[in-house]
Amino acid sequence: MEPARKRGRSEMWDHFNLIAHDKVQCLVCSTELKYHGNTSSMIRHFTAKHGAAVNQGNTNVDRKRELDGALVNMVVKDSQPFSIVDDCGFKELVALLDPKYTLPSRRALKEMVVKRYEEEKTKAKAVMQRVEAVSLTADMWTSINMDAYLAVTCHYVDDSAKLATVLLGVLPFPETHTAVNITAAMRSLMEEWGTEGKVTSIVTDAGANMVASVRSLNLRHALCFAHSLNLVVKKSLDATPGLQDLRTRARKVVAFFKTSTTAKEKLREVQEQMNRPVLKLIQEVDTRWNSTYLMLQRLFKERQSVGAALATLKTDVKPLSSEDYETADACLQLLSPFFQATVELSEEKRVSGSKIIPMTKMLMLYLYDTIGKTSHDTATLLGQNMVSNMQNKFDTTESQTALTLSTLLDPRFKTIGFYNQVQAAASVKRLTAFCTQLRKNAQPDTPTEEQPSTSAQPALANVDNPSSTGLNLWETLDRDASEARKARNATADATVEVQRYMTDPPLERSKDPLAYWVASIKGYVWIMSRGCACFRVPA
């Protein structure tokens, strides 16, 4: 904010910032001074407070900026409040680390964070201008203070073939959550970030307003797989009568230890006496099925400690019986892979769209195998409900173009990732047709070769030569023949290339599929982003 005209008159502008038309701030100690159009007060302050620093020129200023930058990084990365610069303990730590460094004020720190935000946003926008294809994820959520927000995140493959993510915005959403309002907000963000025409898919939950919004934007829609799994398991849990009763009594046990300090202390005491880790019980949350899993899992693990603690406490809360724990254990075996799948997808740092079909396959196979082995009635009923709900929710997954291409083009899965091999074969044909079309589009238009005429057919030679008659009798046929040759070559080349890829052994599941394509690509550049697979032909 310092005026350029002043910088040439006094070196004090190397040590002060103009933060208002009548106020300046010292870069060394963040002290604010009145500014009356001259540097007199600045010189007096700097000579009195930082006399030694004047002789060191820009060294202290550079050091100040370096430490300010580190402070901003800490606040941003660790989600620290601006008030940290007023905390006595933090001030003492900073003074011990560097006595010459004076922390900025809370206001100055806020300004630096805002400035850093604008700088990083500008850089991110510049990167987004160079990106050719992106996928988006959008979600409506409510804060602890019951304020609604719309978050939109962009995913793309960067120049180093790594999956990159940019948060386009978290918008306050006081309006009603209608499709019209959501569409307007998302369109505004897409225009601001220049993603129009680049979005290959958008991932949301199955809410009617979100679905209608994506339809209005005319974008390919992909339902969030983790959210769909949550609905499948939650619906299955609610449809299992014996399990509902168990969950109700388990919630009462957990609530007792959560709300009673005496009970909580007794549980800790019992755990220590049994030489067990001191672990708190976990309460179920209605909106997240994994909390049900964690509640039952922790209760089962701490069943001896919980039982012993309840036996010594005066309470009407009944401990779970041995039969209850047998039911919980049997049901946990069915729920375990779903919990693992949810965690894996949530932590995924690489492509995730290609995992949906093979993960669905493995979950179904696990359910069939486990149901066949269990003899517990409640667990059997839960398993049957989960199979039914999985079939209803994911019945069309292996026929969705984006997901099938993602799975086929992931060298870890290919066709073995499909549950239905008929659908896998159809997807290979679809991929071959897609590659064929790309090859056709990539081929330059080549002129039709002229056939040499012979002296034995002078009349026909004159007919073939448009220059002699003013027309070309064979123009349409020659064009069709050229297109047929190009189509045949494109189909053959695409078929050979796809088959060669399919017959190669699959990549280890721990490997990065994007790195594989960078190392082995031939003819096409392959980009796979979250929820979609797309190609571009090299120039």
Side-chain angles (χ1 to χ4, degrees):
M1 295 181 65
E2 63 200 48
R5 61 185 182 85
K6 293 292 183 181
R7 182 173 283 279
R9 295 183 180 182
S10 173
E11 68 175 7
M12 281 296 101
W13 290 110
D14 291 333
H15 309 294
F16 286 85
N17 267 345
L18 186 67
I19 60 176
H21 74 280
D22 61 347
K23 189 177 295 185
V24 293
Q25 184 178 53
C26 178
L27 292 174
V28 178
C29 66
S30 300
T31 298
E32 297 180 3
L33 305 174
K34 287 291 185 179
Y35 175 63
H36 303 287
N38 57 64
T39 60
S40 299
S41 61
M42 297 153 62
I43 293 174
R44 286 195 299 272
H45 167 82
F46 209 79
T47 302
K49 299 293 184 179
H50 316 295
V54 175
N55 297 328
Q56 297 179 29
N58 290 331
T59 302
N60 281 336
V61 176
D62 293 340
R63 176 62 174 167
K64 167 73 173 173
R65 289 172 177 165
E66 180 184 8
L67 293 175
D68 283 347
L71 176 63
V72 169
N73 287 341
M74 184 197 71
V75 169
V76 172
K77 292 181 178 180
D78 299 339
S79 299
Q80 294 291 342
F82 297 136
S83 60
I84 191 173
V85 295
D86 297 329
D87 295 343
C88 295
F90 185 69
K91 286 182 176 180
E92 291 175 0
L93 174 64
V94 172
L96 184 62
L97 294 174
D98 191 337
K100 296 181 180 179
Y101 175 61
T102 303
L103 286 166
S105 65
R106 187 187 307 189
R107 176 181 173 184
L109 176 59
K110 181 179 179 180
E111 291 175 352
M112 287 189 287
V113 171
V114 171
K115 181 180 178 182
R116 174 70 63 84
Y117 166 77
E118 294 297 339
E119 291 173 350
E120 294 300 322
K121 185 176 181 179
T122 300
K123 292 179 184 178
K125 283 186 175 181
V127 172
M128 292 301 298
Q129 295 301 315
R130 302 193 300 269
V131 174
E132 297 186 17
V134 302
S135 65
L136 304 178
T137 54
D139 185 34
M140 297 289 300
W141 58 279
T142 305
S143 71
I144 193 172
N145 295 323
M146 299 306 293
D147 296 320
Y149 295 90
L150 171 66
V152 180
T153 308
C154 176
H155 312 277
Y156 63 94
V157 178
D158 63 19
D159 295 336
S160 60
K162 300 293 184 182
L163 189 66
T165 297
V166 174
L167 179 64
L168 301 190
V170 179
L171 305 179
F173 215 86
E175 305 92 347
T176 54
H177 300 175
T178 62
V180 173
N181 291 336
I182 295 173
T183 300
M186 289 201 289
R187 181 174 283 119
S188 175
L189 277 177
M190 291 167 61
E191 291 175 354
E192 179 186 357
W193 286 83
T195 61
E196 306 97 316
K198 299 180 179 180
V199 180
T200 59
S201 70
I202 180 168
V203 180
T204 73
D205 60 26
N209 54 350
M210 299 299 287
V211 174
S213 175
V214 175
R215 188 183 301 115
S216 298
L217 293 169
N218 196 28
L219 297 175
R220 174 191 285 159
H221 190 204
L223 294 178
C224 174
F225 185 63
H227 185 268
S228 297
L229 278 184
N230 180 70
L231 294 178
V232 164
V233 180
K234 191 173 185 304
K235 187 174 181 180
S236 301
L237 291 171
D238 293 341
T240 308
L243 194 53
Q244 278 188 326
D245 179 61
L246 171 60
R247 290 164 58 197
T248 299
R249 288 183 284 110
R251 285 195 296 267
K252 290 181 180 179
V253 172
V254 175
F256 175 65
F257 284 98
K258 287 282 188 182
T259 57
S260 170
T261 55
T262 302
K264 182 168 60 175
E265 181 62 25
K266 174 57 68 173
L267 178 60
R268 183 191 65 78
E269 180 183 322
V270 171
Q271 288 172 332
E272 290 178 346
Q273 290 175 351
M274 293 183 173
N275 293 322
R276 298 182 60 83
V278 177
L279 299 174
K280 296 180 180 179
L281 300 184
I282 300 173
Q283 185 58 283
E284 181 183 50
V285 179
D286 289 337
T287 55
R288 296 194 300 273
W289 82 266
N290 54 334
S291 65
T292 304
Y293 174 84
L294 293 173
M295 177 185 71
L296 295 177
Q297 183 189 55
R298 182 61 57 84
L299 274 173
F300 182 80
K301 184 176 182 179
E302 296 300 316
R303 58 190 183 280
Q304 295 178 344
S305 303
V306 170
L310 285 174
T312 62
L313 295 168
K314 295 181 179 179
T315 177
D316 296 332
V317 176
K318 304 292 184 182
L320 299 183
S321 65
S322 58
E323 290 79 9
D324 290 332
Y325 284 120
E326 289 178 4
T327 301
D329 185 35
C331 292
L332 285 171
Q333 292 183 36
L334 286 166
L335 296 172
S336 179
F338 286 82
F339 181 78
Q340 178 185 337
T342 303
V343 171
E344 182 175 334
L345 285 173
S346 301
E347 296 178 346
E348 181 62 74
K349 301 300 183 183
R350 300 183 302 210
V351 292
S352 57
S354 60
K355 277 190 172 182
I356 293 177
I357 289 177
M359 189 170 280
T360 302
K361 170 185 176 179
M362 299 315 298
L363 289 172
M364 290 297 292
L365 291 176
Y366 181 88
L367 284 176
Y368 285 131
D369 182 63
T370 307
I371 292 173
K373 294 178 180 178
T374 187
S375 58
H376 199 286
D377 292 341
T378 302
T380 299
L381 181 57
L382 173 62
Q384 291 171 348
N385 289 334
M386 294 176 75
V387 167
S388 176
N389 288 320
M390 284 285 289
Q391 291 173 339
N392 291 335
K393 179 64 69 173
F394 302 112
D395 183 55
T396 61
T397 299
E398 294 192 359
S399 60
Q400 297 178 27
T401 301
L403 295 181
T404 56
L405 287 180
S406 295
T407 303
L408 287 178
L409 290 170
D410 192 321
R412 301 171 299 175
F413 305 128
K414 301 184 183 180
T415 56
I416 63 174
F418 287 74
Y419 186 89
N420 187 331
Q421 288 304 302
V422 174
Q423 289 284 15
S427 299
V428 172
K429 290 182 179 179
R430 190 181 303 122
L431 174 61
T432 304
F434 189 33
C435 292
T436 299
Q437 188 60 48
L438 286 172
R439 285 189 172 276
K440 287 181 181 179
N441 296 338
Q443 290 178 352
D445 293 332
T446 56
T448 303
E449 297 180 2
E450 294 184 1
Q451 298 297 326
S453 59
T454 64
S455 57
Q457 296 175 315
L460 290 178
N462 289 336
V463 173
D464 283 347
N465 187 352
S467 61
S468 63
T469 62
L471 60 88
N472 186 351
L473 177 63
W474 300 97
E475 180 180 3
T476 302
L477 186 145
D478 289 342
R479 183 181 65 246
D480 293 344
S482 175
E483 290 297 326
R485 286 193 298 272
K486 289 167 59 177
R488 181 184 182 280
N489 292 339
T491 302
D493 291 344
T495 301
V496 170
E497 189 149 350
V498 170
Q499 290 302 319
R500 183 187 299 120
Y501 165 69
M502 290 298 172
T503 55
D504 286 341
L507 196 68
E508 292 181 19
R509 194 167 52 83
S510 60
K511 301 295 184 181
D512 185 357
L514 293 179
Y516 166 88
W517 280 108
V518 170
S520 61
I521 201 68
K522 295 178 181 178
Y524 293 94
V525 176
W526 174 76
I527 303 174
M528 185 165 66
S529 189
R530 292 176 186 254
C532 68
C534 50
F535 295 80
R536 60 184 171 93
V537 180

